Amino acid sequence: MNFYRLLFVSCAVVCCESGCEDSSKKQPTKLASGKEAAQEAAQTSQPPVVEEKAIDAPVSAGAPSSTSVENPQGKSNAPDKADVAATFSDGSHILRSDVMNRIERLPARARNLAFNQLYNLILFVTIQEKVAYEAAKKEGFEKKDQVAKSIALIEDGIAQQAYLDEKVKDKITPEAIKAQYDKLLKNFKVEDEYGLRHILVKTKEEALRIIEALKKGESFDTLQGKHSIDRKTLARQGFLGFFRASQLPQAEQDAITSTAVGGFVGVPVLVPQTGYSVLLVSEKRMSTPAPLDKVEDRIKSILSKRFALYHVANLCKERGVVFYAPDGSVVPVKEVDAKLEELRAKQQDPKKQSTAQEIKLEADINNLKETSVVAKIGDRSVVFKELAAFIKDNAAMFKGMPVSDVYNAASEEYVHRIVLKDAAAKSGIGARADVKEKQLEAIKAFLAREYLLDASGKSVTDAQVRDFYERSVARIDKNEMEYRLRVIPVESAEHGKKAIAKLKGGTSFEAVMEEFCADKRVQDQNGDLGYLKKDELTRLSSDLLEQVKKAPKATILLNTVDINGQLWVVRIEDKRPIHIPTFAESKEYLKQNIIQEQTVKVAQGLMVQAGCNAFGVDGKNVDFSSDETLSEMLGDGGIR
């Protein structure tokens, strides 16, 4: 069942909200392949680097919010704090207020469920956390070496964040907030906005049938209520909100912007990993900046992160921090604002640093010894052995970066953590009651999650994995083809035309890649996506599969392909019957899938042992020990 993924993500979200995310205990992450780098680039056309990346202007006023917990009746469902959400045989209980507090603290991305579903999900997470934490403590799970190290990192991280919050709070003044708002206003771009409604279905064929029905005069409202699987927008007649023209998918932008108000878009729009949308343009207006009070919290977040950077930079100055390049030379210190500008510039131009410079730097790094000094903090030397261990423990943080960037980023991050940890410890903030409470909450979530994974892993046998493999292979269509692609992400349609023309004229793929590639991560992998199956191509683009199927091997597609807003030049390198991986090749991957499924069952067993009785929003008993209850409660269509 896909419930596990909701459970695991929810645990992680609550854990992250408490500041306990520990990268040393994440699932093992290999360096990005060309396919992974390109798919990630398709989802985020620029790598996240600077804290201001998310906001370049205030959000348009009037756009419907999707971040609040919705109550279709418009009435408050907040329960009395004395109401009990769950009881246990030892006399302990969980209050509804505990559940509601966790819901209120969730970030927007975690609130894509109807209220009843969200409440039951967070209730389940809260219960499983309690029973798994108690089981972990009973077995002394927290004393394991790696677990103990992770707990120490969690405690340090929360203390350091509390220290920074204390240092920057007085700097976030009304004047500073207004100045940042005025800066955003200055950069605000006025453009058309389109109000969109949609009918979400699972397949392109269903979407085309709905478009045909609309052409024959059937009502969009009727079809939306009858066919849409998007429960989140069902009560709003499928209304998605307002979108600027620049925010629309490149492939469908012209079709949407040329549709009259009240008309439907004549082509289905792919919603990756979900289905296809049939869109209706319900309204058109000019974008206007939101008033200050609507974006004040976001501005405070920007300022808080910036002032934190300033403070850490000052701590480094006070401690006499010096960074060394791989060749032993001193790295000049840059002010925080200069660093931010450089990072933003590099985002916009991934080829900012010359290839020759990078090759030399990578060669210098390869020659480093474990005792090579990468930085000094006063009299303390930070050696490459420490840095290498830090990079290994935080592999996900540096995924897809070239070696030269990893060295620079990791050196600074590692030294900053040391300096910040020392300052937080010296301040004594870790002894504060509210900090202790946050640390305990985060540790409970972390221990529960890791204990469930550990317990589930112990119960998985080779026979189970083998059976899973054989069932998976049996479902594969042996006549299906797979396609090896190389791609060049480009900045514009004009660049795409020039790149295609050069390739057609005989210029090597590598040379064109060097000139036009707009994503360094894809370039580092030579644009190679590897072999892709039919469903993988469909997820990337609704039209890509058909184009690739028709084109012969060793050819360039005549036009760029829009992948979630980024344009790609695509070359078909090879076609072959689908490759079925051997059991040895897929064993570890399949085992992790089984462990995830087993985690839910382990949690359910612990709930039964604890004599748990849970109660939903309506006060009725919810049987979380039943798989059928969980599937019915969440439903496949409720997750977006």
Side-chain angles (χ1 to χ4, degrees):
M1 66 173 72
N2 62 11
F3 178 79
Y4 170 76
R5 286 175 177 77
L6 268 178
L7 168 63
F8 191 82
V9 168
S10 299
C11 288
V13 165
V14 173
C15 193
C16 289
E17 283 292 286
S18 304
C20 78
E21 180 86 3
D22 171 33
S23 55
S24 69
K25 285 296 291 175
K26 290 179 180 176
Q27 295 296 324
T29 305
K30 61 181 183 298
L31 290 179
S33 65
K35 182 195 305 185
E36 291 167 332
Q39 288 174 332
E40 185 179 350
Q43 294 166 1
T44 56
S45 58
Q46 302 179 66
V49 178
V50 189
E51 88 284 357
E52 292 186 47
K53 165 76 166 61
I55 304 175
D56 56 12
V59 177
S60 298
S65 169
S66 61
T67 61
S68 60
V69 177
E70 295 181 29
N71 178 359
Q73 285 74 38
K75 299 177 182 178
S76 173
N77 279 331
D80 186 332
K81 289 190 176 182
D83 286 349
V84 173
T87 61
F88 301 86
S89 57
D90 64 359
S92 60
H93 59 264
I94 291 173
L95 295 178
R96 291 194 177 201
S97 57
D98 298 330
V99 180
M100 295 302 294
N101 286 339
R102 297 184 88 155
I103 291 174
E104 290 168 6
R105 286 162 37 210
L106 288 173
R109 67 182 183 277
R111 297 188 182 188
N112 290 343
L113 293 173
F115 177 74
N116 285 356
Q117 290 177 310
L118 184 60
Y119 179 89
N120 285 338
L121 170 62
I122 300 304
L123 174 57
F124 183 94
V125 170
T126 306
I127 293 170
Q128 68 88 36
E129 181 183 295
K130 171 181 164 63
V131 296
Y133 173 73
E134 289 172 354
K137 292 291 288 184
K138 185 177 180 180
E139 295 182 18
F141 185 74
E142 77 282 4
K143 296 176 183 177
K144 289 188 173 184
D145 184 53
Q146 189 56 54
V147 175
K149 287 180 181 177
S150 297
I151 289 173
L153 288 174
I154 291 168
E155 291 174 332
D156 287 344
I158 291 173
Q160 289 163 29
Q161 187 58 55
Y163 167 81
L164 284 174
D165 291 343
E166 191 69 24
K167 290 296 180 182
V168 306
K169 68 179 183 181
D170 292 336
K171 297 182 178 3
I172 306 175
T173 62
E175 293 76 18
I177 294 170
K178 181 64 166 59
Q180 180 66 24
Y181 178 70
D182 290 341
K183 177 182 175 183
L184 298 177
L185 277 182
K186 185 178 178 181
N187 296 325
F188 184 79
K189 181 181 178 182
V190 177
E191 57 182 310
D192 288 334
E193 283 186 333
Y194 300 84
L196 300 179
R197 294 172 60 193
H198 83 149
I199 301 170
L200 180 66
V201 292
K202 290 185 177 181
T203 68
K204 187 175 183 178
E205 289 70 26
E206 288 178 272
L208 289 170
R209 284 197 294 270
I210 288 172
I211 289 173
E212 285 303 312
L214 289 168
K215 288 179 180 178
K216 293 176 181 177
E218 290 195 42
S219 163
F220 190 93
D221 290 352
T222 301
L223 293 168
Q224 190 269 337
K226 185 177 179 181
H227 296 287
S228 185
I229 61 173
D230 185 1
R231 297 182 182 182
K232 176 187 168 187
T233 64
L234 202 60
R236 300 198 303 266
Q237 290 77 50
F239 187 65
L240 295 169
F242 284 90
F243 300 86
R244 300 174 194 168
S246 59
Q247 295 173 320
L248 298 172
Q250 188 73 31
E252 291 84 16
Q253 189 177 104
D254 290 342
I256 293 171
T257 56
S258 62
T259 301
V261 173
F264 62 89
V265 178
V267 293
V269 177
L270 175 68
V271 182
Q273 300 181 354
T274 304
Y276 288 83
S277 279
V278 177
L279 295 175
L280 179 139
V281 179
S282 61
E283 190 177 343
K284 180 180 177 181
R285 69 185 189 186
M286 297 301 291
S287 61
T288 55
L292 176 57
D293 62 318
K294 297 293 184 183
V295 292
E296 186 170 348
D297 287 344
R298 298 172 73 190
I299 291 175
K300 285 179 179 178
S301 177
I302 289 175
L303 294 176
S304 177
K305 291 174 182 177
R306 185 188 300 157
F307 289 138
L309 287 173
Y310 290 152
H311 185 74
V312 173
N314 287 331
L315 287 175
C316 288
K317 286 182 181 178
E318 293 171 6
R319 296 285 300 275
V321 169
V322 179
F323 290 99
Y324 295 93
D327 63 3
S329 62
V330 175
V331 178
V333 176
K334 295 179 182 176
E335 296 298 323
V336 169
D337 288 331
K339 287 180 182 177
L340 295 181
E341 287 302 322
E342 181 181 303
L343 287 169
R344 279 192 284 266
K346 192 163 186 179
Q347 273 189 310
Q348 294 166 7
D349 183 3
K351 301 186 284 291
K352 196 79 175 176
Q353 189 177 26
S354 73
T355 303
Q357 286 176 315
E358 289 190 352
I359 290 173
K360 180 183 183 304
L361 185 52
E362 291 188 18
D364 290 339
I365 292 170
N366 290 334
N367 290 329
L368 284 171
K369 299 177 181 178
E370 287 189 344
T371 55
S372 298
V373 177
V374 298
K376 283 190 175 180
I377 308 172
D379 296 331
R380 177 186 169 178
S381 293
V382 178
V383 297
F384 186 64
K385 182 179 180 180
E386 296 176 67
L387 185 65
F390 174 73
I391 293 171
K392 181 180 178 181
D393 288 344
N394 295 274
M397 183 187 300
F398 308 110
K399 180 180 178 181
M401 281 189 187
V403 174
S404 54
D405 284 355
V406 171
Y407 177 85
N408 295 327
S411 300
E412 190 167 279
E413 179 70 21
Y414 183 57
V415 168
H416 284 180
R417 290 192 185 191
I418 293 171
V419 170
L420 187 56
K421 179 180 178 179
D422 292 346
K426 186 177 179 181
S427 73
I429 201 164
R432 222 168 61 183
D434 62 322
V435 176
K436 289 279 189 189
E437 184 179 347
K438 283 185 179 180
Q439 289 173 329
L440 179 59
E441 181 182 359
I443 290 167
K444 283 183 175 180
F446 169 77
L447 267 184
R449 189 172 78 241
E450 294 304 309
Y451 176 82
L452 289 173
L453 286 171
D454 184 73
S456 300
K458 292 175 181 176
S459 65
V460 176
T461 66
D462 283 349
Q464 281 179 288
V465 181
R466 171 70 71 175
D467 178 64
F468 191 13
Y469 171 77
E470 290 174 354
R471 285 188 284 113
S472 300
V473 169
R475 290 195 297 268
I476 295 175
D477 180 0
K478 309 302 187 296
N479 297 317
E480 185 180 329
M481 299 291 289
E482 57 185 7
Y483 310 87
R484 183 184 170 203
L485 305 183
R486 289 182 74 187
V487 301
I488 303 175
V490 293
E491 292 181 352
S492 64
E494 186 63 29
H495 279 199
K497 289 178 183 177
K498 290 179 180 178
I500 291 171
K502 287 200 171 190
L503 289 168
K504 294 283 186 182
T507 307
S508 72
F509 195 91
E510 289 72 17
V512 177
M513 170 80 75
E514 177 65 29
E515 182 176 355
F516 291 102
C517 186
D519 193 294
K520 188 69 170 62
R521 295 168 297 174
V522 179
Q523 186 176 357
D524 288 338
Q525 303 296 332
N526 297 314
D528 194 347
L529 302 191
Y531 283 93
L532 301 176
K533 300 178 181 65
K534 179 174 67 176
D535 59 334
E536 293 175 310
L537 286 169
T538 303
R539 281 199 296 270
L540 286 173
S541 167
S542 54
D543 299 321
L544 183 57
L545 175 62
E546 291 305 314
Q547 294 185 56
V548 169
K549 284 169 67 176
K550 293 175 183 177
K553 291 192 293 185
T555 58
I556 306 293
L557 294 185
L558 295 177
N559 299 300
T560 53
V561 179
D562 185 289
I563 308 294
N564 290 340
Q566 185 177 63
L567 295 176
W568 285 3
V569 173
V570 178
R571 174 182 167 89
I572 298 96
E573 294 290 323
D574 189 26
K575 299 181 177 184
R576 71 182 186 189
I578 192 167
H579 168 69
I580 300 175
T582 65
F583 177 67
E585 289 172 332
S586 52
K587 180 179 178 181
E588 190 57 37
Y589 170 79
L590 296 175
K591 183 177 179 180
Q592 292 304 319
N593 275 271
I594 297 172
I595 287 174
Q596 292 180 356
E597 297 289 345
Q598 290 291 106
T599 302
V600 176
K601 299 186 182 301
V602 172
Q604 289 171 318
L606 291 173
M607 290 178 189
V608 171
Q609 291 176 26
C612 175
N613 284 303
F615 309 98
V617 174
D618 56 6
K620 294 180 181 178
N621 185 266
V622 180
D623 182 13
F624 285 135
S625 66
S626 163
D627 288 350
E628 290 73 22
T629 297
L630 295 181
S631 297
E632 182 182 346
M633 177 182 75
L634 291 170
D636 290 336
I639 304 164
R640 297 285 169 250

